[in-house]
PDB file of all heavy atoms in Angstrom:
ATOM      1  N   ILE A 129      22.382  -3.347  -1.751  1.00 74.00           N
ATOM      2  CA  ILE A 129      21.856  -3.630  -3.086  1.00 74.00           C
ATOM      3  C   ILE A 129      20.693  -2.713  -3.450  1.00 74.00           C
ATOM      4  O   ILE A 129      20.540  -2.326  -4.595  1.00 74.00           O
ATOM      5  CB  ILE A 129      21.465  -5.127  -3.210  1.00 74.00           C
ATOM      6  CG1 ILE A 129      22.745  -5.969  -3.298  1.00 74.00           C
ATOM      7  CG2 ILE A 129      20.581  -5.385  -4.426  1.00 74.00           C
ATOM      8  CD1 ILE A 129      22.520  -7.453  -3.291  1.00 74.00           C
ATOM      9  N   GLY A 130      19.904  -2.352  -2.465  1.00 69.00           N
ATOM     10  CA  GLY A 130      18.753  -1.478  -2.750  1.00 69.00           C
ATOM     11  C   GLY A 130      19.150  -0.056  -3.092  1.00 69.00           C
ATOM     12  O   GLY A 130      18.292   0.758  -3.416  1.00 69.00           O
ATOM     13  N   GLY A 131      20.441   0.280  -3.006  1.00 70.00           N
ATOM     14  CA  GLY A 131      20.884   1.650  -3.275  1.00 70.00           C
ATOM     15  C   GLY A 131      20.692   2.533  -2.061  1.00 70.00           C
ATOM     16  O   GLY A 131      20.217   2.098  -1.023  1.00 70.00           O
ATOM     17  N   VAL A 132      21.078   3.802  -2.200  1.00 72.00           N
ATOM     18  CA  VAL A 132      21.039   4.698  -1.030  1.00 72.00           C
ATOM     19  C   VAL A 132      19.636   4.855  -0.478  1.00 72.00           C
ATOM     20  O   VAL A 132      19.450   5.039   0.719  1.00 72.00           O
ATOM     21  CB  VAL A 132      21.614   6.111  -1.354  1.00 72.00           C
ATOM     22  CG1 VAL A 132      23.091   6.057  -1.593  1.00 72.00           C
ATOM     23  CG2 VAL A 132      20.903   6.749  -2.533  1.00 72.00           C
ATOM     24  N   ALA A 133      18.619   4.773  -1.354  1.00 71.00           N
ATOM     25  CA  ALA A 133      17.242   5.022  -0.892  1.00 71.00           C
ATOM     26  C   ALA A 133      16.624   3.807  -0.216  1.00 71.00           C
ATOM     27  O   ALA A 133      15.760   3.949   0.631  1.00 71.00           O
ATOM     28  CB  ALA A 133      16.371   5.448  -2.068  1.00 71.00           C
ATOM     29  N   ARG A 134      17.085   2.594  -0.570  1.00 80.00           N
ATOM     30  CA  ARG A 134      16.380   1.396  -0.104  1.00 80.00           C
ATOM     31  C   ARG A 134      17.325   0.338   0.445  1.00 80.00           C
ATOM     32  O   ARG A 134      17.223  -0.830   0.075  1.00 80.00           O
ATOM     33  CB  ARG A 134      15.579   0.790  -1.252  1.00 80.00           C
ATOM     34  CG  ARG A 134      14.700   1.800  -1.965  1.00 80.00           C
ATOM     35  CD  ARG A 134      13.944   1.182  -3.118  1.00 80.00           C
ATOM     36  NE  ARG A 134      13.211   2.206  -3.841  1.00 80.00           N
ATOM     37  CZ  ARG A 134      12.171   1.981  -4.611  1.00 80.00           C
ATOM     38  NH1 ARG A 134      11.737   0.758  -4.779  1.00 80.00           N
ATOM     39  NH2 ARG A 134      11.559   2.957  -5.237  1.00 80.00           N
ATOM     40  N   PRO A 135      18.257   0.686   1.305  1.00 85.00           N
ATOM     41  CA  PRO A 135      19.182  -0.331   1.818  1.00 85.00           C
ATOM     42  C   PRO A 135      18.438  -1.440   2.558  1.00 85.00           C
ATOM     43  O   PRO A 135      17.562  -1.163   3.371  1.00 85.00           O
ATOM     44  CB  PRO A 135      20.094   0.452   2.763  1.00 85.00           C
ATOM     45  CG  PRO A 135      19.313   1.663   3.157  1.00 85.00           C
ATOM     46  CD  PRO A 135      18.464   1.999   1.959  1.00 85.00           C
ATOM     47  N   GLY A 136      18.760  -2.686   2.234  1.00 89.00           N
ATOM     48  CA  GLY A 136      18.189  -3.831   2.939  1.00 89.00           C
ATOM     49  C   GLY A 136      16.793  -4.237   2.531  1.00 89.00           C
ATOM     50  O   GLY A 136      16.306  -5.293   2.934  1.00 89.00           O
ATOM     51  N   ILE A 137      16.119  -3.414   1.727  1.00 91.00           N
ATOM     52  CA  ILE A 137      14.709  -3.670   1.432  1.00 91.00           C
ATOM     53  C   ILE A 137      14.583  -4.683   0.288  1.00 91.00           C
ATOM     54  O   ILE A 137      14.949  -4.409  -0.850  1.00 91.00           O
ATOM     55  CB  ILE A 137      13.967  -2.358   1.079  1.00 91.00           C
ATOM     56  CG1 ILE A 137      14.070  -1.354   2.245  1.00 91.00           C
ATOM     57  CG2 ILE A 137      12.516  -2.637   0.731  1.00 91.00           C
ATOM     58  CD1 ILE A 137      13.512  -1.821   3.567  1.00 91.00           C
ATOM     59  N   VAL A 138      14.061  -5.861   0.617  1.00 91.00           N
ATOM     60  CA  VAL A 138      13.919  -6.954  -0.352  1.00 91.00           C
ATOM     61  C   VAL A 138      12.535  -6.904  -1.009  1.00 91.00           C
ATOM     62  O   VAL A 138      12.371  -7.187  -2.184  1.00 91.00           O
ATOM     63  CB  VAL A 138      14.121  -8.319   0.352  1.00 91.00           C
ATOM     64  CG1 VAL A 138      14.019  -9.469  -0.636  1.00 91.00           C
ATOM     65  CG2 VAL A 138      15.464  -8.358   1.069  1.00 91.00           C
ATOM     66  N   HIS A 139      11.510  -6.573  -0.227  1.00 92.00           N
ATOM     67  CA  HIS A 139      10.139  -6.431  -0.735  1.00 92.00           C
ATOM     68  C   HIS A 139       9.516  -5.309   0.074  1.00 92.00           C
ATOM     69  O   HIS A 139      10.139  -4.781   0.992  1.00 92.00           O
ATOM     70  CB  HIS A 139       9.342  -7.736  -0.583  1.00 92.00           C
ATOM     71  CG  HIS A 139       9.103  -8.154   0.836  1.00 92.00           C
ATOM     72  ND1 HIS A 139       7.854  -8.444   1.347  1.00 92.00           N
ATOM     73  CD2 HIS A 139       9.964  -8.322   1.882  1.00 92.00           C
ATOM     74  CE1 HIS A 139       7.952  -8.785   2.612  1.00 92.00           C
ATOM     75  NE2 HIS A 139       9.211  -8.723   2.967  1.00 92.00           N
ATOM     76  N   ARG A 140       8.306  -4.925  -0.255  1.00 90.00           N
ATOM     77  CA  ARG A 140       7.715  -3.792   0.462  1.00 90.00           C
ATOM     78  C   ARG A 140       6.242  -4.031   0.748  1.00 90.00           C
ATOM     79  O   ARG A 140       5.619  -4.906   0.139  1.00 90.00           O
ATOM     80  CB  ARG A 140       7.899  -2.494  -0.319  1.00 90.00           C
ATOM     81  CG  ARG A 140       7.438  -2.567  -1.750  1.00 90.00           C
ATOM     82  CD  ARG A 140       7.461  -1.212  -2.406  1.00 90.00           C
ATOM     83  NE  ARG A 140       6.423  -0.360  -1.845  1.00 90.00           N
ATOM     84  CZ  ARG A 140       6.013   0.767  -2.403  1.00 90.00           C
ATOM     85  NH1 ARG A 140       6.546   1.197  -3.508  1.00 90.00           N
ATOM     86  NH2 ARG A 140       5.060   1.490  -1.861  1.00 90.00           N
ATOM     87  N   LEU A 141       5.729  -3.256   1.676  1.00 94.00           N
ATOM     88  CA  LEU A 141       4.286  -3.216   1.940  1.00 94.00           C
ATOM     89  C   LEU A 141       3.853  -1.774   1.734  1.00 94.00           C
ATOM     90  O   LEU A 141       4.607  -0.847   2.035  1.00 94.00           O
ATOM     91  CB  LEU A 141       3.985  -3.645   3.382  1.00 94.00           C
ATOM     92  CG  LEU A 141       4.314  -5.095   3.781  1.00 94.00           C
ATOM     93  CD1 LEU A 141       4.083  -5.288   5.280  1.00 94.00           C
ATOM     94  CD2 LEU A 141       3.479  -6.096   2.997  1.00 94.00           C
ATOM     95  N   ASP A 142       2.633  -1.565   1.243  1.00 93.00           N
ATOM     96  CA  ASP A 142       2.103  -0.201   1.129  1.00 93.00           C
ATOM     97  C   ASP A 142       2.155   0.484   2.489  1.00 93.00           C
ATOM     98  O   ASP A 142       2.082  -0.177   3.531  1.00 93.00           O
ATOM     99  CB  ASP A 142       0.626  -0.233   0.687  1.00 93.00           C
ATOM    100  CG  ASP A 142       0.445  -0.778  -0.720  1.00 93.00           C
ATOM    101  OD1 ASP A 142       1.407  -0.747  -1.495  1.00 93.00           O
ATOM    102  OD2 ASP A 142      -0.670  -1.235  -1.023  1.00 93.00           O
ATOM    103  N   LYS A 143       2.194   1.801   2.456  1.00 94.00           N
ATOM    104  CA  LYS A 143       2.237   2.586   3.695  1.00 94.00           C
ATOM    105  C   LYS A 143       1.154   2.147   4.681  1.00 94.00           C
ATOM    106  O   LYS A 143       1.429   1.951   5.861  1.00 94.00           O
ATOM    107  CB  LYS A 143       2.049   4.076   3.348  1.00 94.00           C
ATOM    108  CG  LYS A 143       1.997   4.985   4.563  1.00 94.00           C
ATOM    109  CD  LYS A 143       1.636   6.416   4.188  1.00 94.00           C
ATOM    110  CE  LYS A 143       1.448   7.261   5.426  1.00 94.00           C
ATOM    111  NZ  LYS A 143       0.907   8.601   5.131  1.00 94.00           N
ATOM    112  N   GLU A 144      -0.080   1.966   4.208  1.00 96.00           N
ATOM    113  CA  GLU A 144      -1.189   1.671   5.114  1.00 96.00           C
ATOM    114  C   GLU A 144      -1.402   0.178   5.354  1.00 96.00           C
ATOM    115  O   GLU A 144      -2.345  -0.204   6.033  1.00 96.00           O
ATOM    116  CB  GLU A 144      -2.481   2.314   4.606  1.00 96.00           C
ATOM    117  CG  GLU A 144      -2.427   3.834   4.482  1.00 96.00           C
ATOM    118  CD  GLU A 144      -2.125   4.574   5.781  1.00 96.00           C
ATOM    119  OE1 GLU A 144      -2.159   3.953   6.857  1.00 96.00           O
ATOM    120  OE2 GLU A 144      -1.843   5.785   5.715  1.00 96.00           O
ATOM    121  N   THR A 145      -0.539  -0.671   4.791  1.00 97.00           N
ATOM    122  CA  THR A 145      -0.633  -2.115   5.050  1.00 97.00           C
ATOM    123  C   THR A 145       0.332  -2.473   6.172  1.00 97.00           C
ATOM    124  O   THR A 145       1.466  -2.006   6.184  1.00 97.00           O
ATOM    125  CB  THR A 145      -0.293  -2.910   3.773  1.00 97.00           C
ATOM    126  OG1 THR A 145      -1.218  -2.531   2.742  1.00 97.00           O
ATOM    127  CG2 THR A 145      -0.390  -4.408   4.002  1.00 97.00           C
ATOM    128  N   SER A 146      -0.143  -3.293   7.102  1.00 98.00           N
ATOM    129  CA  SER A 146       0.686  -3.684   8.247  1.00 98.00           C
ATOM    130  C   SER A 146       1.190  -5.107   8.060  1.00 98.00           C
ATOM    131  O   SER A 146       0.755  -5.821   7.167  1.00 98.00           O
ATOM    132  CB  SER A 146      -0.145  -3.592   9.532  1.00 98.00           C
ATOM    133  OG  SER A 146      -1.352  -4.337   9.376  1.00 98.00           O
ATOM    134  N   GLY A 147       2.135  -5.516   8.947  1.00 98.00           N
ATOM    135  CA  GLY A 147       2.494  -6.922   9.008  1.00 98.00           C
ATOM    136  C   GLY A 147       3.918  -7.288   8.672  1.00 98.00           C
ATOM    137  O   GLY A 147       4.820  -6.448   8.688  1.00 98.00           O
ATOM    138  N   CYS A 148       4.118  -8.576   8.359  1.00 98.00           N
ATOM    139  CA  CYS A 148       5.443  -9.197   8.220  1.00 98.00           C
ATOM    140  C   CYS A 148       6.257  -8.629   7.058  1.00 98.00           C
ATOM    141  O   CYS A 148       5.788  -8.608   5.924  1.00 98.00           O
ATOM    142  CB  CYS A 148       5.296 -10.697   7.975  1.00 98.00           C
ATOM    143  SG  CYS A 148       4.837 -11.641   9.410  1.00 98.00           S
ATOM    144  N   LEU A 149       7.473  -8.258   7.382  1.00 98.00           N
ATOM    145  CA  LEU A 149       8.399  -7.758   6.366  1.00 98.00           C
ATOM    146  C   LEU A 149       9.789  -8.274   6.714  1.00 98.00           C
ATOM    147  O   LEU A 149      10.197  -8.200   7.876  1.00 98.00           O
ATOM    148  CB  LEU A 149       8.386  -6.227   6.390  1.00 98.00           C
ATOM    149  CG  LEU A 149       9.004  -5.488   5.223  1.00 98.00           C
ATOM    150  CD1 LEU A 149       8.066  -5.530   4.010  1.00 98.00           C
ATOM    151  CD2 LEU A 149       9.263  -4.032   5.580  1.00 98.00           C
TER     152      LEU A 149
END
Side-chain angles (χ1 to χ4, degrees):
I129 287 174
V132 291
R134 309 179 185 202
I137 301 301
V138 182
H139 65 127
R140 52 172 290 195
L141 295 174
D142 294 338
K143 177 187 174 188
E144 300 301 348
T145 301
S146 53
C148 286
L149 194 76

